[in-house]
Amino acid sequence: MDGVTGEFERRSEALADVARERFAGLVLLGSASPAAAARRDEWSDHDFFMLAAPGSEAAVRDVRSWLPDPERLVLVAREGDIGFAAVYDDGHVFEFAAATAEELGGAIATGDVDIPVDDGTAAPLMAAAQARVAEAPAPDPVNETSLVLVKLLIGVGRARRGEHLVAGQFVHAWAVNHFARAVRGRLPVDGSVRDAIDPVRRFERDYPSLGADLRTVLAAPVEEAARGLYDLLRSTLEPGWEGFPTRAADVVAARLGWARS
């Protein structure tokens, strides 16, 4: 066991010790799960749920009182009502929810899951969370493609108005997410694990050539990136697909003054 792996496992066990002593359960998610140990690298963090019994909400959310190695913490930040992030002095990250099972009742879980500590509430919680992903409909490529066009149209309009920061959100974030969903819905890859939380996750692994093209497009300034993403959308999905919203794509190009490549 190398040093990085050993330290990762030590932290996992420290979290389990906290759960056994103070709370109702611990769920390790993604690369924090032992089943995913082979794909960990130096950038892997700890994603987990620390579960409290009903009535212990305040205690579990007093996270500085129970996070392992408190003297090594350099920051603890809150994300919403039950979400937290912590960073240690070596740059290792914890991203986690501190909540009761009831508060996590709508959670979804993709990939590997491990439950080292459970008072009986964690297992059914996670079974339901994984079932939600399995039962969720696959991306609708027509709708997702349409939304790419909408985000590009709005984003370029914002850029031309001088609102470059929000334009970047429309193009580099929202349009890209819809593009990834459209590709995953239209061109599914054998062996790919559909990530219901983030469709861009592992996109470059599943679509290496397209991922490289997308990186090149997004390296450009916002309007140039928008035009590149528009062209990539059409060249990737339109040929041979009757469902592609060709008329809408032509209207967007005309509105923005883009001649067809």
Side-chain angles (χ1 to χ4, degrees), residues 97-207:
T100 65
E102 182 177 0
E103 290 173 318
L104 284 164
I108 59 175
T110 62
D112 298 301
V113 171
D114 183 58
I115 307 174
V117 182
D118 187 7
D119 71 350
T121 59
L125 169 70
M126 298 315 298
Q130 291 176 314
R132 288 185 193 95
V133 174
E135 295 165 2
D140 176 353
V142 175
N143 192 63
E144 298 297 339
T145 300
S146 299
L147 286 170
V148 175
L149 295 171
V150 170
K151 303 306 180 186
L152 292 178
L153 178 59
I154 295 173
V156 173
R158 297 292 187 271
R160 291 180 182 179
R161 185 187 285 167
E163 299 177 22
H164 295 282
L165 296 178
V166 72
Q169 287 185 305
F170 274 96
V171 174
H172 290 93
W174 300 328
V176 170
N177 272 271
H178 291 299
F179 176 83
R181 290 190 183 96
V183 170
R184 290 189 182 281
R186 176 66 183 155
L187 306 171
V189 174
D190 289 342
S192 174
V193 177
R194 181 163 58 91
D195 194 326
I197 300 171
D198 185 357
V200 180
R201 190 79 192 274
R202 302 185 182 90
F203 189 86
E204 292 152 298
R205 183 200 67 186
D206 294 339
Y207 306 91

Side-chain angles (χ1 to χ4, degrees), residues 234-247:
R234 297 197 77 159
S235 64
T236 301
L237 296 180
E238 188 172 22
W241 181 27
E242 293 183 359
F244 189 92
T246 296
R247 175 60 179 148

